[in-house]
Amino acid sequence: MAKSTGSSEFDLYRPSEEHDMLRDAVRSLAEAKIGPHAAAVDEEARFPQEALDALTASDLHAVHVPEQYGGTGADALATVIVIEEVARVCASSSLIPAVNKLGSLPLILSGSEELKTKYLGPLAKGDAMFSYCLSEPDAGSDAAGMKTRAVRDGDSYVLNGVKRWITNAGVSEYYTVMAVTDPGKRSKGISAFVVEKSDPGVSFGAPEKKLGIKGSPTREVYLDNVRIPADRMIGAEGTGFATAMQTLDHTRVTIAAQALGIAQGALDYAKGYVQERKQFGKPIAEFQGVQFMLADMAMKLEAARQLTYAAAAKSERVDSDLTFFGAAAKCYASDAAMEITTDAVQLLGGYGYTRDYPVERMMRDAKITQIYEGTNQVQRIVMARNLPK
Ligand code: CAA
């Protein structure tokens, strides 16, 4: 039985003081340097360069990179906190630390020392960003149905195909590309590679015209006879699909973090608004119907946060039930964020429906968290196949 040992019981089941200090620091930076540009980034559908500059200057652009490769070596919960606080003011900007982790995690999990040293150093320094190329026009939820081919030719592989919905495509210098090396073997015939933007034969489609996260470019990546050295393969041939899935086990937690941040931003804004807005002679915050809505929003958000932080701890420890928890946190937090942001628009009434207030952007941004890194229907498949024992 765990015994009370004086004041230390207060440290049970809560983030450490360092985590709390990190949150305060990221919140200040995000409010000062990222939030003020969020509306324009959305309106103009432009890359949030101010956010990249501010995050890089404070070493917050890729906090997950281990210290031995020049990174800050933040743990999974610290990474969640960074993404959450950036998403609270600008969801598009939070895709910088999130997708840097997604793109480089296959390398961290399964790459050779040489590859890690070569590619993680520039990422840690802020000289390069990383993207993750799994999906294709006809292979979304059925990721193993991909068609992109990688054919061995002497000391090289030659890649041909189209990757779709690639976050930060064109801006990133490096791409982890999953491609078929043995077409007869479905998931066991898929391998992972590092492709560089400057490799001859790499090009990009037009930016997708999206409902939300408009500041984060989403483009196709075309691979037209892209010849790369064979040692750019991540792990052994045929292990690319398992690496891709293991990666998502960890990074679905970061999408949960993004959802938490978006929802917190909407709740904070709505909470302030209802105290200012007067109808029937008093602030609408004094009506019980409004109070009930705020209570439900805060309750859902806190439940999502607890699940996400538990999943982050499992990600850090690489617990055997991480697959379930990663999917559950992403699914639950994104559904909560959709409800909370929709309620925030409702609390602002007609004003909430206009672009003069930030909550409609937050509602549009929340929607993608139910779709990417696996739709919430796929998360339920993953959970059902990995129910806790
Ligand atoms: N860890 C390790 N290995 C795993 C694994 C995991 N979490 N999940 C599956 N595998 C292995 C399996 O063990 C299996 O190997 P065996 O045959 O040896 O057992 C192999 O991979 C195939 O697994 P499945 O049979 O489960 O594969 P499936 O074809 O039925 O697909 C799926 C399963 C869960 C539906 C999967 O395809 C999936 O997750 N689809 C969604 C894809 C997705 O999330 N895409 C997101 C793109 S990234 C993105 O959105 C980024 C962005 O923009 C920010």
Side-chain angles (χ1 to χ4, degrees):
M1 167 86 72
K3 295 223 172 59
S4 168
T5 51
S7 65
S8 69
E9 77 258 31
F10 297 114
D11 295 330
L12 287 174
Y13 206 68
R14 50 153 291 168
S16 68
E17 206 177 307
E18 285 80 18
H19 288 110
D20 288 342
M21 282 162 57
L22 174 69
R23 180 188 300 285
D24 290 346
V26 183
R27 182 167 292 198
S28 304
L29 176 100
E31 287 184 346
K33 305 234 166 106
I34 300 175
H37 307 286
V41 159
D42 174 67
E43 191 73 34
E44 297 159 24
R46 67 168 174 85
F47 182 74
Q49 188 60 43
E50 300 89 345
L52 178 61
D53 294 345
L55 290 169
T56 306
S58 300
D59 256 346
L60 293 169
H61 57 290
V63 287
H64 67 286
V65 178
E67 283 173 350
Q68 76 240 53
Y69 305 108
T72 49
D75 63 40
L77 180 57
T79 307
V80 156
I81 289 170
V82 169
I83 294 166
E84 191 185 339
E85 288 302 324
V86 176
R88 181 174 160 271
V89 300
C90 178
S92 292
S93 299
S94 71
L95 280 158
I96 294 169
V99 174
N100 275 338
K101 179 164 181 178
L102 174 67
S104 62
L105 200 59
L107 189 56
I108 294 171
L109 292 175
S110 309
S112 66
E113 274 311 305
E114 293 72 35
L115 271 194
K116 288 188 202 179
T117 304
K118 179 167 180 197
Y119 290 108
L120 295 177
L123 173 65
K125 265 202 239 153
D127 292 342
M129 287 171 46
F130 243 106
S131 290
Y132 177 86
C133 303
L134 179 68
S135 304
E136 298 183 359
D138 295 318
S141 294
D142 182 12
M146 68 177 65
K147 298 279 183 304
T148 295
R149 283 283 273 134
V151 176
R152 180 93 193 214
D153 182 26
D155 287 343
S156 312
Y157 278 93
V158 179
L159 276 65
N160 278 287
V162 178
K163 292 293 176 179
R164 183 173 276 184
W165 313 123
I166 307 309
T167 303
N168 291 342
V171 182
S172 291
E173 207 59 44
Y174 305 141
Y175 298 80
T176 293
V177 174
M178 269 52 75
V180 177
T181 39
D182 188 340
K185 292 193 178 161
R186 208 175 129 86
S187 66
K188 293 284 187 296
I190 292 170
S191 306
F193 301 87
V194 180
V195 171
E196 300 182 15
K197 180 179 168 178
S198 55
D199 287 329
V202 174
S203 61
F204 304 97
E208 304 290 349
K209 301 187 190 96
K210 306 188 299 280
L211 176 71
I213 54 157
K214 293 186 181 209
S216 176
T218 309
R219 302 168 70 172
E220 286 187 324
V221 176
Y222 304 122
L223 303 157
D224 183 12
N225 279 321
V226 177
R227 180 176 289 274
I228 57 171
D231 63 10
R232 292 243 213 111
M233 182 182 275
I234 298 172
E237 193 169 300
T239 61
F241 189 76
T243 299
M245 292 297 117
Q246 277 165 19
T247 297
L248 291 170
D249 287 346
H250 292 275
T251 59
R252 284 172 178 156
V253 184
T254 69
I255 299 304
Q258 189 183 47
L260 292 182
I262 298 169
Q264 186 71 61
L267 176 57
D268 290 349
Y269 196 89
K271 214 164 63 184
Y273 179 87
V274 298
Q275 277 151 14
E276 300 294 320
R277 172 72 173 167
K278 289 200 174 90
Q279 291 291 276
F280 306 102
K282 56 183 179 183
I284 60 171
E286 291 179 22
F287 291 101
Q288 206 174 43
V290 167
Q291 292 167 6
F292 282 4
M293 283 179 74
L294 288 165
D296 280 344
M297 291 157 78
M299 173 179 68
K300 288 174 195 166
L301 179 53
E302 201 48 46
R305 181 171 285 121
Q306 295 300 322
L307 180 55
T308 303
Y309 288 8
K314 286 177 183 292
S315 164
E316 184 61 26
R317 294 189 300 257
V318 201
D319 284 354
S320 58
D321 53 3
L322 170 62
T323 302
F324 174 85
F325 271 82
K330 188 289 209 196
C331 187
Y332 192 87
S334 60
D335 283 350
M338 198 65 239
E339 289 172 19
I340 292 164
T341 54
T342 305
D343 280 351
V345 170
Q346 190 69 20
L347 283 171
L348 268 73
Y351 296 106
Y353 201 64
T354 71
R355 292 212 290 266
D356 298 329
Y357 292 81
V359 287
E360 64 82 36
R361 164 170 55 83
M362 293 165 175
M363 186 179 106
R364 288 186 285 106
D365 287 344
K367 186 64 206 170
I368 192 61
T369 64
Q370 295 180 302
I371 297 172
Y372 61 17
E373 295 212 19
T375 63
N376 282 3
Q377 287 69 33
V378 162
Q379 306 311 319
R380 287 175 170 92
I381 295 172
V382 172
M383 282 186 270
R385 288 182 184 176
N386 296 278
L387 289 175
K389 300 222 166 54

